[in-house]
Amino acid sequence: MQDPIKTLFTECIQTQIAAADMLHEPIEAACGLLVDSLLQGRRVYCCGEGLAHATSRHFAHIMLTGLSFERPPFPVTSLHADYGALDYDRMFAQQIQAVGQANDLLVVFNASARAPRVSRAMEAALGRNMLIIAITQSSDEDIAGLLGPDDVEIRIPTYNTARASEHLLQIANMLCSVAEHQIFPQETE
């Protein structure tokens, strides 16, 4: 019988290897969309389904405060998860309807198969002609079908929610790091 901790490390490593092979192009496309949005002065909103909302908040935090070096804040807002809302399933969508503008960017995070609140936010974003970056995993049932030709999906190659959650955080950090270095290349010298 294999050690359960070693098994978890092995799963993590296998997911990392699969992600490195599969996700380079979609991450590069997402970084391009994010950087273009920031350079054009558009707003960036983000949200996550369930536990992935913590990754959304982390992403907004590092985009505002900086990840690799001190810099001006990027206009990124994590949508508020008001669990006492009267219409809980529409809590993100209502915020997008209130503040989203054409060509703003919505970044969504989901580590599980279902994402009812995030998919409703995406529908609201589509109604506002916003662009979308969706970071999902292999069993996603709600998000991929909502993406348009100018949107980007980063589909983490796993059905395991824990492995997907680990990669959500890693990809959030990658997006921020690449954006910082592309917008402020002088800081990398």
Side-chain angles (χ1 to χ4, degrees):
M1 180 170 160
Q2 189 175 9
D3 176 5
I5 294 173
K6 186 169 182 165
T7 299
L8 291 172
F9 273 112
T10 301
E11 286 177 12
C12 292
I13 292 166
Q14 289 171 339
T15 304
Q16 286 281 9
I17 291 168
D21 290 339
M22 296 175 62
L23 298 183
H24 184 270
E25 286 183 29
I27 291 173
E28 189 172 66
C31 289
L33 185 55
L34 177 62
V35 168
D36 183 58
S37 294
L38 294 170
L39 291 175
Q40 296 297 320
R42 300 179 193 131
R43 298 276 178 200
V44 178
Y45 301 97
C46 56
C47 62
E49 192 71 37
L51 294 176
H53 191 64
T55 303
S56 168
R57 292 174 50 89
H58 169 79
F59 178 68
H61 174 76
I62 61 176
M63 292 295 285
L64 285 168
T65 62
L67 181 66
S68 304
F69 49 84
E70 190 174 329
R71 58 159 171 80
F74 294 140
V76 178
T77 302
S78 181
L79 300 176
H80 181 65
D82 182 1
Y83 296 105
L86 294 176
D87 194 352
Y88 178 70
D89 283 348
R90 294 191 33 76
M91 67 182 170
F92 297 139
Q94 290 171 328
Q95 294 169 72
I96 290 295
Q97 289 169 333
V99 296
Q101 300 293 318
N103 296 314
D104 282 348
L105 179 62
L106 176 64
V107 181
V108 298
F109 298 90
N110 183 41
S112 59
R114 304 308 311 247
R117 288 164 288 286
V118 165
S119 60
R120 284 182 179 84
M122 291 172 66
E123 290 167 354
L126 293 170
R128 296 267 187 221
N129 295 315
M130 294 172 63
L131 299 168
I132 300 169
I133 295 172
I135 307 161
T136 65
Q137 52 103 327
S138 295
S139 67
D140 169 67
E141 296 178 18
D142 292 340
I143 292 176
L146 295 172
L147 296 170
D150 296 325
D151 300 327
V152 177
E153 180 184 22
I154 302 170
R155 186 175 282 251
I156 300 163
T158 185
Y159 292 91
N160 183 305
T161 300
R163 301 296 78 78
S165 293
E166 294 160 358
H167 278 75
L168 291 179
L169 185 59
Q170 181 181 19
I171 292 167
N173 288 338
M174 286 179 176
L175 291 173
C176 182
S177 181
V178 170
E180 285 180 338
H181 289 94
Q182 286 185 3
I183 293 172
F184 298 103
Q186 69 278 10
E187 296 294 334
T188 61
E189 297 172 357

